[in-house]
Amino acid sequence: MKTSLLIAGSLALVPMTYAQDKPNIIIILADDLGFSDLGCFGGEIHTPVLDNLAKNGVRMTQMYNSARSCPSRANLLTGLYPHQTGLGHMDGSHPAWPKGYSGFRSNSDNVTIAEVLKDAGYFTAMSGKWHLGNKSNPILRGFQEYYGLLGGFNSFWNPAVYTRLPKDRTPRHYEEGTFYATNVITD
């Protein structure tokens, strides 16, 4: 089964299909990473796994950055400009503000890639930072499994600030002093 990798720039969207005739899709959004930092884009950082995935997949070459993480994340998840999703500003809910700044909307004019892929028979999962406001969450927006930070960044070492959804899922247990967000999100 072929895997396509779309590298844009702490979100990992990993929809996977059970069918052999559909490609797996992995989207990685890495905050605070320059476009040319990864080896597959000519960067000086040694990134052999990502380079190999990019070599054998599809790379985004015309993704528009919205200068901040959550508006860019809304853009990547929906294919819309951040103002069209309600995130012209950061993730807060501002109902009195104009529609483009009122917070991430959950309605038919703002569909996530996870909602579309789930409807197409894909299994959809997300790990990392949601940071799209508290009016919604990854499960309500098409992801079947989620682990990460619902808000903005908090701590690499404190498991209490991370959320596992749906709520009936049991998070993995880590011995005292072994929790480190980068490894746990990957797990």
Side-chain angles (χ1 to χ4, degrees), residues 100-129:
Y101 301 93
S102 61
F104 197 57
R105 296 190 311 275
S106 296
N107 55 30
S108 63
D109 68 345
N110 177 16
V111 178
T112 69
I113 189 171
E115 291 167 310
V116 172
L117 290 173
K118 183 179 172 186
D119 287 349
Y122 279 78
F123 168 77
T124 58
M126 178 181 170
S127 65
K129 185 169 65 170

Side-chain angles (χ1 to χ4, degrees), residues 8 30-31 48 56 61 63 66 68 82 85 117 138 142 154 158 180 182 187:
D31 289 347
N56 295 305
T61 59
M63 166 67 184
S66 298
R68 293 160 304 180
T85 70
L117 290 173
N154 190 302
N158 181 3
Y180 182 66
T182 301
D187 288 348

Side-chain angles (χ1 to χ4, degrees), residues 24-159:
N24 285 334
I25 301 167
I26 301 170
I27 298 175
I28 300 172
L29 171 64
D31 289 347
D32 303 321
L33 183 69
F35 177 80
S36 64
D37 285 345
L38 300 176
C40 59
F41 286 110
E44 68 282 355
I45 299 172
H46 186 64
T47 55
V49 173
L50 294 176
D51 295 350
N52 187 50
L53 286 169
K55 178 181 175 185
N56 295 305
V58 176
R59 291 187 283 169
M60 268 189 188
T61 59
Q62 295 186 16
M63 166 67 184
Y64 293 96
N65 174 317
S66 298
R68 293 160 304 180
S69 62
C70 44
S72 293
R73 186 174 290 103
N75 171 275
L76 182 64
L77 284 173
T78 63
L80 300 172
Y81 288 107
H83 288 83
Q84 292 174 291
T85 70
L87 282 177
H89 188 56
M90 293 298 274
D91 71 341
S93 175
H94 307 284
W97 291 19
K99 187 176 180 181
Y101 301 93
S102 61
F104 197 57
R105 296 190 311 275
S106 296
N107 55 30
S108 63
D109 68 345
N110 177 16
V111 178
T112 69
I113 189 171
E115 291 167 310
V116 172
L117 290 173
K118 183 179 172 186
D119 287 349
Y122 279 78
F123 168 77
T124 58
M126 178 181 170
S127 65
K129 185 169 65 170
W130 174 249
H131 202 206
L132 293 172
N134 57 11
K135 291 167 53 173
S136 188
N137 69 51
I139 300 302
L140 297 174
R141 296 310 309 266
F143 293 99
Q144 293 158 280
E145 300 284 339
Y146 172 76
Y147 183 79
L149 293 163
L150 288 174
F153 178 76
N154 190 302
S155 170
F156 281 107
W157 300 277
N158 181 3

